Amino acid sequence: MTLPVIVPYGQPGFMQAYTNVWSCGDGNQIGNYFEEDGQYIESSYGDVYDGRAGASKFCRFMFAFSKDSRIDYTSHCGNADGFALEWIWSGTATGPIFINGKVYPPTQKRYAVPGVAICRAGKNGLMALHRDYYDILTLMRQIGIVEDARATPTPSR
């Protein structure tokens, strides 16, 4: 397997390189994109992962849930002091997922969930902070572990 190339934030090709590393299937590789004291925050769960090892650990959880997990970064605004990245997370629920103290079994259903990352780059263009925001209920609906509330008829008066 060819390892993804690390392109520091602010350099041409950053978004594609960041997509490649988040989608390569190897949770250890994402740690290379973080500062030693960087932080990854998964806001839907409220979990904080410190340093390169923490970011790598989160990715291992992500790929255990969805071995074909892919994150496509689609747009960007800001600068190294603070920037936002829009993304779409897609894949198949091939493994269990732990949400609010409950383990849900694999459903083998596809998902594609939009989200945004609020980030800050360190002096070398590596991630000092990456905080993801997305609607966990959208994911749960798509993989079939909750009913789609929008499909519920509105009670008549």
Side-chain angles (χ1 to χ4, degrees), residues 18-109:
Y18 207 46
T19 289
N20 294 346
V21 78
W22 274 96
S23 304
C24 74
D26 183 349
N28 291 320
Q29 294 304 311
I30 195 63
N32 295 330
Y33 244 109
F34 279 76
E35 296 283 342
E36 286 290 338
D37 61 349
Q39 205 172 50
Y40 173 78
I41 302 171
E42 212 292 355
S43 294
S44 289
Y45 295 97
D47 292 340
V48 177
Y49 297 87
D50 291 319
R52 291 179 175 167
S56 296
K57 180 179 180 180
F58 169 77
C59 281
R60 286 192 297 277
F61 292 150
M62 181 178 73
F63 289 117
F65 160 65
S66 179
K67 64 183 173 190
D68 64 347
S69 188
R70 179 168 178 84
I71 298 179
D72 287 296
Y73 291 94
T74 59
S75 69
H76 158 268
C77 66
N79 60 42
D81 293 330
F83 58 97
L85 298 169
E86 260 188 306
W87 48 260
I88 297 174
W89 176 34
S90 61
T92 309
T94 54
I97 189 167
F98 183 76
I99 300 172
N100 280 345
K102 182 175 179 183
V103 176
Y104 295 90
T107 64
Q108 305 305 318
K109 292 188 177 183

Side-chain angles (χ1 to χ4, degrees), residues 74-154:
T74 59
S75 69
H76 158 268
C77 66
N79 60 42
D81 293 330
F83 58 97
L85 298 169
E86 260 188 306
W87 48 260
I88 297 174
W89 176 34
S90 61
T92 309
T94 54
I97 189 167
F98 183 76
I99 300 172
N100 280 345
K102 182 175 179 183
V103 176
Y104 295 90
T107 64
Q108 305 305 318
K109 292 188 177 183
R110 299 272 313 148
Y111 62 90
V113 178
V116 66
I118 303 300
C119 304
R120 200 170 48 248
K123 62 182 179 287
N124 297 320
L126 299 178
M127 293 296 161
L129 172 70
H130 177 125
R131 182 177 196 136
D132 277 334
Y133 293 93
Y134 65 99
D135 181 8
I136 190 83
L137 188 54
T138 297
L139 174 66
M140 293 172 76
R141 285 180 183 135
Q142 289 182 12
I143 65 173
I145 59 177
V146 296
E147 288 187 31
D148 189 343
R150 296 170 296 176
T152 306
T154 305

Side-chain angles (χ1 to χ4, degrees), residues 3-16:
L3 296 179
V5 174
I6 303 297
V7 176
Y9 175 79
Q11 300 298 311
F14 164 78
M15 282 196 7
Q16 184 59 56

